[in-house]
Amino acid sequence: MFTVGLTGGIGSGKSTVADCFAALGVPVIDTDVIARDLTAPARGTPPDARPAGGAWLLPTCRLYNHGLPLAGGLGAAPGGAVLEEIRAVFGEAVMQADGTLDRAALRRRVFSDSAARRQLEAILHPRIRQVVGDRLAMLTAPYALVVIPLLVQRQDHPQGAGRGCKADKSATTTHRPKGERLAAYPSRVETGGYRDMLNRVLVVDCPEDVQIARVMARSGLEQDEIQAILAAQAGRAERLAVADDIIVNTATPEALRAEVAALHQRYLALAAAPPP
């Protein structure tokens, strides 16, 4: 199946863009939702809310999964599948008294300790990728969208490196020339192994000050907490380097829907085209 990977920094608007694609009937698989389901107390127990800003460890808001069931259906991730492993690695400090995951405590731990973050990624990422593969295998649509916030990872982690970027145009979609593929940038794509699943990468971009303002408005996190998350993520330039298509999400909702509609037609055509 033709598969588009959607990525972007926290607060860039990935979920809004994914909603626009879902409204056009595109199957959307969200790896943040899978991560939250995997760490829920038990299979079939829905999380209390959806992760805010495409980050499953953040304070929550509404739950959605773009029409794909979280349990008992299309490639469902078994709730609680990794809770005991997380407990064994990180201890009782990241668990609530009722046996559920203390996401705030785990968030503070992994975003202040890069080694701990890599441990958590080693636990979760292979399992998430398996669920994504299972769900893709069950779809029959022309193409699917997979939301992968951590598709691009920093290869080094100095505070604030790689953050500069001048792609601040409003409501703009750009495209990588045909023939330049994600595989041309292997050192910048996470080792979780999504390269072999994706035919194209769509990056949602916006200035960092906009990211911070959006996350503060909806999550209740302090600015220093958000900046710690930004510092742990790939910078804008790093994400844009692997993009086939770019949406600069700083315009009106109407302009964004128009950008998505145009990309939808482009992806339908690419999915229908014979392989090179």
Side-chain angles (χ1 to χ4, degrees), residues 253-270:
E254 292 76 16
L256 178 62
R257 286 193 291 271
E259 296 285 341
V260 169
L263 278 171
H264 176 55
Q265 293 304 315
R266 181 179 179 85
Y267 295 153
L268 287 172
L270 288 170

Side-chain angles (χ1 to χ4, degrees), residues 3-96:
T3 305
V4 178
L6 172 63
T7 194
I10 184 174
S12 62
K14 297 181 298 297
S15 296
T16 302
V17 171
D19 275 343
C20 293
F21 277 99
L24 295 172
V26 179
V28 178
I29 301 170
D30 192 325
T31 59
D32 271 346
V33 175
I34 294 170
R36 196 168 184 94
D37 197 32
L38 284 167
T39 56
R43 185 185 182 94
T45 302
D48 55 353
R50 183 190 170 274
W56 67 279
L57 284 172
L58 293 185
T60 57
C61 58
R62 65 186 177 89
L63 168 68
Y64 78 150
N65 196 30
H66 308 289
L68 299 182
L70 285 172
L74 185 59
V82 300
L83 267 184
E84 287 309 309
E85 191 168 350
I86 290 174
R87 185 199 298 265
V89 172
F90 296 99
E92 296 301 320
V94 300
M95 304 300 296
Q96 305 270 21

Side-chain angles (χ1 to χ4, degrees), residues 74-143:
L74 185 59
V82 300
L83 267 184
E84 287 309 309
E85 191 168 350
I86 290 174
R87 185 199 298 265
V89 172
F90 296 99
E92 296 301 320
V94 300
M95 304 300 296
Q96 305 270 21
D98 62 359
T100 59
L101 184 64
D102 187 336
R103 298 178 193 277
L106 186 57
R107 181 182 70 244
R108 289 190 296 269
R109 174 76 180 275
V110 299
F111 286 118
S112 63
D113 181 344
S114 60
R117 186 170 65 254
R118 287 191 292 271
Q119 284 180 300
L120 180 62
E121 290 169 354
I123 293 170
L124 282 171
H125 287 191
R127 291 171 171 87
I128 293 170
R129 187 181 184 279
Q130 180 63 52
V131 175
V132 171
D134 290 346
R135 291 184 177 182
L136 287 172
M138 299 178 71
L139 293 172
T140 58
Y143 77 94

Side-chain angles (χ1 to χ4, degrees), residues 175-185 199-201 241-244:
H175 310 289
R176 185 176 301 287
K178 187 175 180 180
E180 291 190 34
R181 300 295 303 276
L182 179 61
Y185 306 91
N199 299 96
R200 204 158 182 90
V201 171
V242 304
D244 294 298

Side-chain angles (χ1 to χ4, degrees), residues 150-155 162 182-191 195 234-243:
L150 298 181
L151 175 65
V152 185
Q153 295 239 25
R154 303 174 71 88
Q155 296 305 301
L182 179 61
Y185 306 91
S187 65
R188 295 195 176 196
V189 179
E190 74 160 338
T191 55
R195 273 182 292 143
R236 293 173 64 200
E238 291 167 306
R239 283 188 295 270
L240 293 172
V242 304

